[in-house]
Amino acid sequence: MGLEHVADLLVCPTCGQRLTIEERTLGCRTGHRFDQARQGHVNLLGRAAPANADSAEMVAARARFLGGGHYQPIVDALNGRIRAPRRIVEAGAGTGHYLAGVLDAHPDAVGLATDVSPFAARRAAKAHPRMGSVVADTWAGLPVRSGVADVVLCVFAPRNPAEFSRICVPGGLLLVVTPNEGHLAQAREQLGLLGIQDDKLSRLNRSMVGAFEAVWSQRIHWTLQLDAAALADLVQMGPNAFHEHSRVEDGLEVDADVQLSVFRRPAG
């Protein structure tokens, strides 16, 4: 199982001791034990998932949409900025699609996917043989040892710069993907979807001050030809699933417009 590749990166969410894996169970010296689910993931959240965590339906929609290759330019851009990583952590990994794409391009690397949704962690556990998956909350603190990740990924997910810096090796990279103002503009206008703040990139850069140094920024823009089924999955796979919007009846040509921001943890 993929979890065996990354178990040594994990710490007990109860006492902070290092975890080891034995017969599908993670355990620490203090005696806390966390059983691996039959789907392959381990729940290290320690409480019920929040109400806004991705549901099973949202995760299924995301798996269908990403499986269609619609966001492949993001995977390509991530791989274009990563060189010979050993250990990669993706926070808010969802289905593990992006991390799996990076692992495919780097055969010597292992990856850990974290997400607050048990349904997402379940799906990510099967996304790649060198990927382990745990349920964890980025805001509450990740159950990951300090200074172990060569690369941290955060794609359309909540960000905790201090926590990302803690788990990253000195000189390691943080790659963040955020939507630009024009991302999915046609779908947002036609269906009444949630808007995007126009200062998103500047707020991201300000949030990293003191934790990371900005080293690269790249706009990625392409056009999606979506049929009705793919468009419905696009709407249902994210926060719009929790909000009122118009019904999807037809396909649509949609602009994808995102920003890849690369940061480095200072070596000193």
Side-chain angles (χ1 to χ4, degrees), residues 184 187-195 234-235 240 244-246:
L184 309 179
R188 288 191 284 113
E189 180 178 356
Q190 181 165 316
L191 301 175
L193 306 182
L194 296 171
L234 176 63
V235 173
N240 286 290
E244 293 289 335
H245 53 76
S246 299

Side-chain angles (χ1 to χ4, degrees), residues 76-265:
D76 295 340
L78 292 171
N79 280 321
R81 304 309 306 176
I82 299 173
R83 299 290 182 269
R86 295 178 303 152
R87 297 169 294 194
I88 307 169
V89 175
E90 183 175 7
T95 64
H97 175 81
Y98 301 106
L99 179 53
V102 173
L103 291 175
D104 280 341
H106 298 89
D108 294 328
V110 297
L112 172 65
T114 75
D115 201 282
V116 76
S117 164
F119 299 108
R122 178 185 303 174
R123 180 82 62 160
K126 299 179 180 179
H128 198 282
R130 285 181 277 116
M131 182 195 306
S133 176
V134 300
V135 183
D137 186 352
T138 299
W139 292 117
L142 298 171
V144 178
R145 289 167 48 207
S146 298
V148 294
D150 302 300
V151 175
V152 177
L153 304 178
C154 185
V155 183
F156 302 133
R159 300 176 297 275
N160 186 336
E163 188 67 354
F164 294 166
S165 178
R166 181 188 66 79
I167 69 172
C168 197
V169 301
L173 296 181
L174 166 65
L175 282 71
V176 180
V177 177
T178 51
N180 287 321
E181 188 176 1
H183 185 54
L184 309 179
Q186 298 89 342
R188 288 191 284 113
E189 180 178 356
Q190 181 165 316
L191 301 175
L193 306 182
L194 296 171
I196 297 173
Q197 294 177 316
D198 57 8
D199 65 341
K200 203 172 187 69
L201 186 58
S202 62
R203 290 192 299 112
L204 168 64
N205 289 328
R206 289 196 302 269
S207 74
M208 295 296 164
V209 174
F212 289 92
E213 301 169 341
V215 296
W216 178 266
S217 185
Q218 174 187 358
R219 183 186 179 193
I220 312 164
H221 183 271
W222 70 103
T223 300
L224 300 171
Q225 300 286 346
L226 302 179
D227 60 21
L231 182 59
D233 283 338
L234 176 63
V235 173
Q236 290 302 312
M237 74 183 198
N240 286 290
F242 296 110
H243 297 271
E244 293 289 335
H245 53 76
S246 299
R247 181 178 177 180
V248 175
E249 297 181 347
D250 299 299
L252 188 66
E253 180 178 280
V254 179
D255 290 330
D257 188 354
V258 305
Q259 199 77 17
L260 169 60
S261 300
V262 182
F263 303 89
R264 179 179 290 114
R265 181 188 170 188

Side-chain angles (χ1 to χ4, degrees), residues 2-25:
L3 192 64
E4 295 176 352
H5 293 286
V6 295
D8 65 330
L9 305 184
L10 298 169
V11 296
C12 176
T14 304
C15 66
Q17 296 285 334
R18 290 181 62 167
L19 291 173
T20 57
I21 188 168
E22 183 177 353
E23 295 184 355
R24 300 181 62 87
T25 297

